[in-house]
Structures are given as C-alpha cells and as structure tokens.
Amino acid sequence: MQFIDFDKTDAYRLLTEHTLNKFDFRVKLDAERVGRCRIPMAAGLTYSWAAKAVDDKTLKLLQALSDEQELIAKYRALLSGEVMNTGENRRVLHHLLRGGHGQPVIENKRDIGEFYRGELDRLCEFASSVHSGKYKGSTGKPFTTVIQIGIGGSDLGPRALYLALENWAAAEGKKKLTAKFISNVDPDDASAVIASCELEQSLFILVSKSGTTQETLANELFVRDKLITAGLDASKHMIAVTSETSPLAHNTNYLDSFYIDDYVGGRYSSSSAVGGCVLSLAFGPEVFREFLAGAAEADALALQPDINKNAALLDALIGVWERNFQKYPCTAVLPYSQALSRFPAHLQQLDMESNGKRVNRNGVPLSYSTGPVVFGESGTNGQHSFYQLLHQGTDIIPLQFIGFSESQRGDDVTVDGSVSQTKLAANLAAQIAAFAKGQDNADLNKEFHGGRPSSLIFGKRLTPQVLGSLLAHYENKVMFQGFVWNINSFDQEGVQLGKVLTKKVLAGSPADSALEAYSKIFGI
Amino acid sequence: MQFIDFDKTDAYRLLTEHTLNKFDFRVKLDAERVGRCRIPMAAGLTYSWAAKAVDDKTLKLLQALSDEQELIAKYRALLSGEVMNTGENRRVLHHLLRGGHGQPVIENKRDIGEFYRGELDRLCEFASSVHSGKYKGSTGKPFTTVIQIGIGGSDLGPRALYLALENWAAAEGKKKLTAKFISNVDPDDASAVIASCELEQSLFILVSKSGTTQETLANELFVRDKLITAGLDASKHMIAVTSETSPLAHNTNYLDSFYIDDYVGGRYSSSSAVGGCVLSLAFGPEVFREFLAGAAEADALALQPDINKNAALLDALIGVWERNFQKYPCTAVLPYSQALSRFPAHLQQLDMESNGKRVNRNGVPLSYSTGPVVFGESGTNGQHSFYQLLHQGTDIIPLQFIGFSESQRGDDVTVDGSVSQTKLAANLAAQIAAFAKGQDNADLNKEFHGGRPSSLIFGKRLTPQVLGSLLAHYENKVMFQGFVWNINSFDQEGVQLGKVLTKKVLAGSPADSALEAYSKIFGI
C-alpha cells in the first residue's frame, strides 16, 4: 500500500487532461440517464448522480483514480486497526462501534471491539433502567428530560440525530425522554436551557473525551451549581461519557460513566456512547441499535471496489472531480426534510474539520485544493433564501440533495389537490431539473443558465436505520476523499492555536500587543 | 447619477493594479493598528477592520471607488423613493419603515411613510390589546404562544431576531408570549410545532406578501384544520400580514390584518409588520420600537460619504476588495453570542439572495464576480466544528466576527478564575489573533500560516437597539455592494423557475422526461 500525493498520480494527470473535454449534462439529462445513473445504498436508500457533469470517460478515470490511490485497500487497513491517524499516532476505529470489518482489532491482548460492545451493552442497560424507573432524580421523581453537555462532535452529531428522529419516535410511540443540549461557553446558552427544564426530573450527560474541554467543564459547573441550589443531589442527576484516562473517569460525582477511547474522533463519535446515551435515553436502546445496524450496512457496502456499486466511493470521487478539476470551492447539502434541519451543520464539521488540511499525512505542504466549504439548510426553506445565488450567481456550487417520499409523522393536509409531502417532493424534483437544465429567456435577468450539478440521495422514509446509513455514507465519503488527497482526515491541529492563545488571555499574559488590545475591547 | 459596470470604472483598474502590492497585515497587526482601525457604529457598536489586508493605499482606492460609483448618492436616491428595483419597476423603501431620509415619499398623493407609520401604530396597539387581555382565544383563555407561519424573509429574519432577544427579554422581565415558527412545506414541520402548542392559547400570524406562497398557504390550511378539529373558532386565532392587493387582504377569516407593500422586499421586511407583529407580541411594542430606533440610527450613519466614518460603507468595500481582487469566494459570519445563533442564516438570505446575480441592473451579463457564499455558526461552537479548515485549509475565507462584553441573562459561573462570558470573549480575541498572525512550527501539520483576514463588530450587550443597528448595518452593506457591482439587489428572479416546474409536476405535466423521472422517484 502506497501513500502518494494526489498530483503525483497518473489519474491526476489524466483527469486534468479530461477537463478540456466538456460534458454538457444539460442536454444529456433525460429519463434514461436518470434511470441509469443511480446506485443502491444501505437501508433502501439510492444515490443518484445523473445531474452531475460526469460522463463514461470521467467515470472510467475516477475508477482508475480509486484503484491507483488504493482507496479500498486503505479503508480495509483502517478497519483492521492500522494507524491511519498518523499525526496523533492513533488507529481510527469508529466503524468498529457498529461492527467493523468482522475481524477483531487486538491491542495489548485486548479486543477493542469487545470493549466497544461492552460499553454499548452497558449504556443500553442504563437507558432501560431509567425508562423502567430504577433510576430516578434525587427527589424520587422519574426523569423526563435528558440534557447533553458537550461541544463540537459531542454536540453537533448527537443533536442532528436527535432532531432527525424526534418526530419519527413521536409517531411510532417511542419517544421516552425529551433531549436538550448545552454547548456554547456563552453563559446564556446554559442559563436558558436550564431555565426551560424541571431540574428535579432532568438527567445531564457530560460528554468530553479528554475531560478537559473548557466549554464543557464550565457548563458542568454551571449546571452543578444550579442542581445544588435547587437542593438536589447532583451526583444522581449526571452521567459522564469520557475516556478511561480522563480526569472525569471513575468518579463518584456521576451516577454512571461510559467510555470511549482515542480511536474514535469527536466528529466520528455519534456511533459511540457520545450519541448512544442521549439517543437511547430519548428513544430507547433498540432505536439506537437500529441506527447502528444501518451504519454497519453502509460500511459493508463501502468495501466494494467497483465505483458503480459503491455510493460513498463514487460520491467522494465526484466531489474530488468537482473540487480539483472543475475548481468549485464550496458544496451545499440540501435535505428536503425538516427532520434533517441540523444535519448540514454536522456534515459541515465532519467534512471541513476532517479535510480542511494543507499538508499531507506526513506534514508536507500540498499544492492542490483539499476539503471544500460545506453549508446548507433544509428545503424548501433554502429555496426562499440562498437559492437565488445558486441559480443565478456568478459561481457554480455543486449541490447534494436528500429526500424521502413519506413524511415521518404521517400528519398531512390536502391543498389544491396535493398533500404537503407531495409538494415537498415536487419542489425537490423541480429544483434538480431547474439547476441542471436551466431555461432560456430573452430577458437575461430571467434566464437560467443551467449546468449546475447536483446529486440526490433518496429513500422512502427517514427511520433510525436509514439515518445510520446516511451518516455512515458521509463519514465514508469524507474518508475516501482524504485518501485521495493523501491527508490525515482524523486529526485537527488547526483548533489548537486558538486554545493556547485563549488560555494566555485568561491567564493575563496575552502573547502580543494586538491580542492584548483585542482582549481589552472586551474588558479582559 | 451614473450606473456603470464595476469593471468599466477607473477604480476597478487601480484596485487591480494595487493587488500586486501585497500588504502583510500579519506583521503590521499591533495595538496601535487595533486602536486606530475602528469606526463607531450606531447604538454604541464599533466596527474594527484592523485584521484586514487593507493598508492606507487600499483605503484611498476604496474611497475613490465609493465616490466614482456614487454610492452615497445612490443610497440617497433610494431613500428618496427612486425606482432602484429596476427589474420589477419598484421603489425600495425598507428604510422608510424606520424613519427613512426624513423627507416624505409621495405616490399618487399618498404619503407612503404615513402608511408605514400607521400600520406600525396599528400593530403596536393590537399587541397591547393581546397583552391586556382584550383579545383572547375563542374559548376565553389568554394567548400564551404566538406562531408565525411564513417562509424565507417572512421566517428567517423574524426568527433570528426573536431568538436574539428572547433571553434579553426574559432577563428584563419583558417576555410576554413565547414565539414559534412554521415555515417548511414538509408537513412534519407544522405537525410538530402544533403538537407542542396549546391551541386554545395560540395566536397564529400568517405572513405572505403576495398571499400566494405555496408553503405558507398549505401550512395555513394545516393549522386551520387543527383549530377547527379542536373545536376552536379559527378566525379568532389568526391574524394576517400581507399586501393590500393580496387575496388575503380585508378578509374576515382573520382577527386583524396588517399591511406591507411591494416596496419592501421579503428579506428586508423584518422592520415591517412581518417582524413587528411577532416581536411586539412576544416582547411588547416598545421593544420593537427600540429595535427600529437602532436601525434608523444606523441608516443615518450610512449617509456619511467618508469611508472612515461609515462602517456599513467600509465593510461593503472591504468585502468587494476581498471578493473581486483577492478572489475569495466565501465569507463566514461568526457571532460570539448564542442569541445570534440564527443570525448567520438570515444574513445568508439577505446577502446571497440580494447579490447572487450574474447580470447588471439592466440585464446585461457581467464578467466579474458578485455576491459570495455566506455561512456561519455562533462561537465558540464553530471553533469545534469548521474552524479547522478556516485555519489550515487550502483556501482563505474572510471572517466577520461579532461579540459583546456582557451576556444577556447575567447568569454566570466562575470556573478556573473567570466567568464564562470572559472565556467567550477571550476565545474571540484569541481567534482573531490566531487567524491573522498564525504561528510557526517545524512540524508543518502544527503550523498556522496566518494572514486570514477578519473584521469585528463589538458592543457592550445585545439589546433591541443594538440588534436593530446590527441588522441595518448588514442591509446597508449589501446595498452598497450591489451599487458597486451595478446589480439590482432587490429582485430575485432566480427563485422563479423552480416554482414554475413544481407547479407543472403537481399538475401532472412535467416539462421534460428527466423531471418526470425525478418526480416518479417520489411517487408523484
């Protein structure tokens, strides 16, 4: 297995040459192409790339790129526990949280998968004990609210997933507890969330892998003060999710603790206790297990070397095609599902924190572009917001649509001969066609140039299994892109400097006169 | 007054030449520069541009650009009621909602400002009548919840402003009603919001200027069905905000109606009844009037021709410098304030819908870039998400920070010798320095290149007046940029094609075989 910078590959040269050969998908996009250019995904989803500027030749070159950069071999190596997080000298094992490769990963005679499965079993049992009433608040009342305290990967993924399933669970009679989240060090965040809760009936989940996250520790103390002031036993109202080596581990301040390790990065931790505790408490452990099963199914499909059978791989490669050869610096994620309203915010972290790198996995500067800017909002809301620029702006932004034929709650109304869910889907179909094909008009202010590429992931209904499959699809996509670019998608050294300077400011010793001047602005 | 394409100006040529002269603000950024490079804004805010790649020569050229493109004269013309929305042949009068130019705008002998002020007085009186109990739900119970039904400008701005003031109002004892919002045509949105409300005590605000917005009308029927099913008199639970010519106007289905006109675009309508009803009902009419006063103060400052005294103008011009000469395609809005969590989503619409245009105001195609992609999340949350790419990615993204020295709720905790609000501000100061100055490291994976430009808007505390000033700042900034680019920032023809194709799908006659194929995917 070789690790080569992307611009040193034959594929890079051939793809560069191929950019001269313009494929105009505006005129080629017809029913035949829509029917042909799609790949089955896990949990019944389908990936459609018909409205991408990709022809047979492009596909062939992308397959060659995948083969030359050994993307599947690298994925297999990662699954087997090789140290793929080179900078931090760590394995990358989030797939193992949901099954992995099927082969054990052993370290110092310890089976890491067994550890992960053990923690999963423990958290499921804990959630059941809360639901059965075995665990209650310190005044004897049952818990009705669970509040996650965490930031970044301990917040965005779990929050997005909770929102994604809240209405499904309500419709299926599976909603057990309401979840809330405290993340920001802005004290208004914690203060407002706490003011909205019955503390007597609230269970807090403190999530920090290192046990040293500034925001999370400040918010823990904030909450603890409120619990004590309310006359409650704080240790009966808080559990911890952390690593076994953190200062929070094995601590009687918590009702119970669940462990993760350094092989699960924050932005990949939704499949661990970081997402598992809050989702199991909110919806029941079986719902979280269904979610994991959907993710595992997607992980297995991602092993397929043929890009025509591997949606995560093809999605990744088309993204590279658009980023490095069509030179598009951004991409928008547009789920036509209110349940996925915060899914773009999670993908923004997943993608930009993983692949926003300017050196290769060995620390050598790169001369090609890596991860794009990712943004998005749910449709149809976005149509009435930033779609103007997407349709008629001076730049082209590749789009990633997601949609379902059924709603989650099944509660709908017929207006003008159609239900809202049909209107939602009709809008989605119309947007894909409008972006791709455009429309001529003698008044150029009303002309749509078209040629704006999009992909579509579609399914029947957003269930826990479908959600797991969707999450894993994007995780694997981002991983494959990192392999193409020969970067380390699993560290985040770019967040360190800000932390260091913040500490200096708070210690009263800012590093330089500008920092001191900015600090004084805020009276520090 | 002349309207010239940007690339035909002398300023464009001179700025292009000036790009060769690299100003390295990394080494120039010191306390003196931080102290000098700032401009007072309205409501006590300050705009700081010290960490921008702008030197004295750049400033001089940007001033010359402002003068040559007659930006202040065009703003004055807009205030005076000239037809600045050329495509739709409309005046642009959102400033008049909060005072305008001081001069009346007369049309067919009608004083439009008088009309706006009359509607403002009426909605304030209505809100007071709800608060006093004069208006109650149809079963005689007082209203406790107000629910806005609208999308795009009828949703994003009002929602962002409500969230921005919710905690302030709670702390000040001014919160009167809880507000919720229904926007998406996804039926799960309306269904979930309604399931969370006591319908008996809920007052709905239906907002659609045209009275024909598909999503809003579907959601109105959805709500009306629920009200009727609950045995309530729907006409006692709903008010309308619309134009006088809309099918919704003067309709006994509504408890009352408040009017706007075609001279206030959706994304500029937060200062009208579109934002005014929900904010006045939630927090009291005097809070909304304070918000308008802050905006009016900002509007007045924006008349200043000297860019050293006009923050909106300078912010606009620096944005143009970054977009057209430094070639940065995106910009991130990063408020260090949880209250502003949805403010970036509003600015995303404001900016991208206004300036995402590829033809000039006469419909002639442009050969230079216009509006950038705008995205953002509140800090410190974003630090744990996409900041990795901002610090160490291959592209440079100009940043727009916002911060305050005091929290809204004043409820805080001391951890490790500082309160959370101080930590929040310390993080903000540290980020500006880290982005600007970077840090060397022999391990290039831990090196920060720096040279990543940012601006900062800072103030003491986020109050209604400050919020109004902030909103108007961005509205005026976007307007000035549109004048530079010689585009029409006030229409949105790019949203039309999707609407037309959606209607065709729903009518069973998709325009072409691809659209039909996509529709079939969703069973339409």
Side-chain angles (χ1 to χ4, degrees), chain A residues 186 191 226 338 409 411, chain B residues 186 191 226 338 409 411:
Chain A
D186 181 341
S191 176
K226 300 290 181 192
Q338 191 59 22
R409 297 175 66 98
D411 181 17
Chain B
D186 181 341
S191 177
K226 300 291 181 193
Q338 190 60 19
R409 296 175 67 98
D411 182 15

Side-chain angles (χ1 to χ4, degrees), chain B residues 422-439:
Chain B
T422 300
K423 291 188 183 75
L424 179 68
N427 272 281
L428 170 47
Q431 289 295 335
I432 295 174
F435 279 116
K437 309 194 101 172
Q439 187 165 276

Side-chain angles (χ1 to χ4, degrees), chain B residues 88-355:
Chain B
E88 297 179 308
N89 194 30
R90 290 176 182 168
R91 306 167 197 264
V92 176
L93 296 180
H94 53 276
H95 298 86
L96 191 54
L97 294 161
R98 51 219 190 197
H101 191 210
Q103 300 288 326
V105 178
I106 310 289
E107 183 173 77
N108 299 328
K109 297 191 183 163
R110 184 193 197 189
D111 183 328
I112 299 178
E114 208 171 281
F115 164 58
Y116 289 176
R117 285 188 296 278
E119 291 306 294
L120 172 61
D121 290 342
R122 284 211 308 121
L123 78 85
C124 288
E125 201 179 324
F126 177 82
S128 296
S129 298
V130 168
H131 299 148
S132 72
K134 184 181 157 198
Y135 290 119
K136 290 189 167 123
S138 64
T139 57
K141 290 195 182 169
F143 290 118
T144 55
T145 307
V146 52
I147 301 151
Q148 177 124 330
I149 308 172
I151 194 164
S154 303
D155 171 55
L156 290 164
R159 194 192 292 246
L161 300 179
Y162 172 76
L163 292 174
L165 293 179
E166 191 180 18
N167 284 319
W168 173 87
E172 301 291 325
K174 302 217 174 187
K175 188 162 169 199
K176 297 177 192 303
L177 276 73
T178 295
K180 302 191 175 199
F181 296 84
I182 296 172
S183 55
N184 205 329
V185 77
D186 181 341
D188 287 337
D189 189 15
S191 177
V193 171
I194 289 170
S196 76
C197 295
E198 288 294 335
L199 283 180
E200 257 186 299
Q201 301 193 270
S202 295
L203 177 65
F204 293 86
I205 310 175
L206 182 79
V207 187
S208 171
K209 188 164 72 175
S210 67
T212 62
T213 315
Q214 183 194 53
E215 289 90 340
T216 304
L217 294 186
N219 282 322
E220 178 187 13
L221 263 285
F222 197 110
V223 165
R224 227 169 250 286
D225 270 8
K226 300 291 181 193
L227 289 167
I228 293 164
T229 305
L232 301 167
D233 177 351
S235 70
K236 294 274 196 297
H237 286 263
M238 202 176 282
I239 63 173
V241 176
T242 188
S243 70
E244 288 179 294
T245 55
S246 115
L248 308 177
H250 309 292
N251 189 319
T252 53
N253 280 333
Y254 307 103
L255 179 57
D256 206 340
S257 298
F258 302 95
Y259 298 109
I260 49 179
D261 64 19
D262 285 340
Y263 303 154
V264 176
R267 57 193 174 274
Y268 297 96
S269 67
S270 291
S271 303
S272 76
V274 171
C277 286
V278 65
L279 295 175
S280 296
L281 284 161
F283 309 130
E286 73 284 358
V287 170
F288 183 59
R289 287 188 190 269
E290 285 167 33
F291 164 84
L292 294 179
E297 200 187 327
D299 291 342
L301 268 176
L303 283 165
Q304 182 51 254
D306 181 347
I307 63 171
N308 293 300
K309 295 178 181 167
N310 185 336
L313 182 60
L314 181 57
D315 197 4
L317 291 163
I318 292 176
V320 167
W321 167 241
E322 292 176 331
R323 178 72 169 131
N324 295 101
F325 303 98
Q326 305 202 311
K327 308 287 183 190
Y328 303 144
C330 305
T331 177
V333 179
L334 308 168
Y336 276 60
S337 162
Q338 190 60 19
L340 294 176
S341 61
R342 290 299 283 169
F343 198 64
H346 169 62
L347 295 189
Q348 189 173 59
Q349 177 190 22
L350 178 68
D351 203 325
M352 293 174 71
E353 197 169 47
S354 295
N355 289 342

Side-chain angles (χ1 to χ4, degrees), chain B residues 370-437:
Chain B
T370 59
V373 166
V374 177
F375 70 101
E377 292 284 343
S378 54
T380 58
N381 289 358
Q383 291 178 198
H384 295 261
S385 170
F386 53 85
Y387 278 33
Q388 163 67 40
L389 184 145
L390 303 182
H391 278 291
Q392 292 189 320
T394 48
D395 292 359
I396 290 182
I397 321 286
L399 311 171
Q400 306 179 53
F401 290 105
I402 302 170
F404 305 95
S405 46
E406 294 178 10
S407 71
Q408 286 188 315
R409 296 175 67 98
D411 182 15
D412 211 331
V413 67
T414 300
V415 177
D416 290 338
S418 61
V419 294
S420 289
Q421 181 64 30
T422 300
K423 291 188 183 75
L424 179 68
N427 272 281
L428 170 47
Q431 289 295 335
I432 295 174
F435 279 116
K437 309 194 101 172

Side-chain angles (χ1 to χ4, degrees), chain A residues 304-318:
Chain A
Q304 182 50 255
D306 181 347
I307 61 171
N308 293 299
K309 294 177 181 168
N310 185 337
L313 182 60
L314 181 58
D315 198 3
L317 292 163
I318 292 176

